[in-house]
C-alpha cells in the first residue's frame, strides 16, 4: 500500500508540475506577467538556469547530476525500506522526489527550469509547483524527524520494565531505611 501511495504522489506531483508549466509557457510567456491578486501574488514567466534564488546560474549539468543522485537515492530507499519507513516520512520523500523529477524534466528538456509563482508582499524567489512539492516535503521530513521520530525514540528509552524495576528498588530501599 505504501509504495502505491508514494508512487501516486510522485506521479501526481510530476503531472501537476508539468501541466502548470505547459500552461505557463503557452499562455503566460507571450505576455510575461499576470496579476493574480494585487500586491500579493503575480504569475511571472522566468527561465531559471540556476537553483533556488537563481544561485549557481548556468550550472545545468551539476544540477542534473546532483538531482539524479538524490532522486534515485530516495526512490531506492523507498523501495528497499518500504516496510520500516514511517508514513509521513515516506510521503515527504515522495513529494521531494516528485518535485525533483518535475524540475529535472525542465533542465534536461530546456536547459532551464520554468518558474512563475511570485509573491509580491515579500522579497522572495519566483518558483513553481515542483518547488512547492520539494519545500513542503522537506518541511514534513524535518517535522517527522524532529517531533515524531524523537517521540518514538523517547518511548523506547523509557520502557515500562525499567521503570517498574527502578521503582521497586527505590520502594524496597525506602522500606529498609524506615525500619
Amino acid at each position: 500500500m505504501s509504495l502505491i501511495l508514494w508512487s501516486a504522489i510522485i506521479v501526481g506531483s510530476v503531472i501537476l508540475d508539468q501541466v502548470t508549466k505547459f500552461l505557463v509557457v503557452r499562455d503566460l510567456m507571450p505576455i510575461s506577467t499576470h496579476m493574480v491578486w494585487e500586491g500579493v501574488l503575480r504569475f511571472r514567466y522566468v527561465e531559471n538556469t540556476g537553483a533556488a534564488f537563481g544561485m549557481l546560474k548556468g550550472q545545468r549539468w551539476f544540477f542534473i547530476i546532483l538531482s539524479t543522485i538524490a532522486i534515485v537515492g530516495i526512490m531506492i530507499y523507498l523501495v528497499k525500506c518500504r516496510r520500516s519507513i514511517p508514513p509521513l516520512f515516506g510521503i515527504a520523500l515522495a513529494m521531494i522526489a516528485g518535485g525533483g523529477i518535475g524540475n529535472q524534466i525542465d533542465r534536461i528538456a530546456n536547459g532551464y527550469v520554468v518558474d512563475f509563482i511570485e509573491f509580491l508582499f515579500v522579497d522572495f524567489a519566483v518558483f513553481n509547483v515542483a518547488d512547492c512539492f520539494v519545500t513542503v516535503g522537506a518541511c514534513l521530513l524535518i517535522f517527522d524527524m524532529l517531533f515524531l521520530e524523537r517521540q518514538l525514540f523517547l518511548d523506547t528509552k523509557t520502557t515500562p520494565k525499567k521503570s517498574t524495576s527502578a521503582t521497586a528498588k527505590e520502594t524496597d530501599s525506602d522500606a529498609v531505611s524506615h525500619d
Side-chain angles (χ1 to χ4, degrees), residues 5-16:
L5 173 63
W6 300 334
S7 298
I9 291 169
I10 292 169
V11 170
S13 63
V14 171
I15 290 171
L16 185 60

Side-chain angles (χ1 to χ4, degrees), residues 9-169:
I9 291 169
I10 292 169
V11 170
S13 63
V14 171
I15 290 171
L16 185 60
D17 176 65
Q18 291 299 301
V19 166
T20 57
K21 288 175 181 173
F22 169 79
L23 294 172
V24 163
V25 169
R26 186 189 74 190
D27 299 334
L28 186 61
M29 189 172 73
I31 62 171
S32 184
T33 65
H34 174 74
M35 188 60 64
V36 177
W37 186 359
E38 189 68 41
V40 178
L41 178 64
R42 169 174 65 189
F43 290 160
R44 179 167 65 106
Y45 179 81
V46 174
E47 295 175 356
N48 184 357
T49 60
F53 305 103
M55 294 185 303
L56 300 171
K57 286 186 186 266
Q59 300 297 317
R60 176 182 180 206
W61 290 106
F62 171 76
F63 290 120
I64 288 173
I65 292 167
L66 186 65
S67 295
T68 300
I69 291 169
I71 292 164
V72 170
I74 288 171
M75 294 175 95
I76 289 171
Y77 178 75
L78 287 173
V79 171
K80 284 194 167 211
C81 301
R82 66 186 170 272
R83 288 182 176 80
S84 62
I85 297 175
L88 186 59
F89 196 84
I91 290 168
L93 289 176
M95 291 177 76
I96 293 168
I101 291 168
N103 281 338
Q104 187 79 312
I105 290 169
D106 282 14
R107 280 193 190 96
I108 291 170
N110 305 325
Y112 56 85
V113 173
V114 173
D115 288 332
F116 61 93
I117 303 169
E118 181 179 29
F119 286 116
L120 301 173
F121 61 90
V122 64
D123 186 23
F124 194 71
V126 181
F127 57 97
N128 59 44
V129 172
D131 297 335
C132 294
F133 275 98
V134 170
T135 302
V136 171
C139 289
L140 290 175
L141 195 66
I142 291 167
F143 177 81
D144 184 83
M145 289 174 15
L146 289 178
F147 299 107
L148 301 181
E149 289 301 309
R150 184 178 65 167
Q151 184 61 42
L152 292 174
F153 176 74
L154 291 175
D155 288 347
T156 59
K157 286 294 219 183
T158 57
T159 59
K161 289 182 182 178
K162 289 181 184 176
S163 301
T164 307
S165 62
T167 307
K169 287 181 184 175

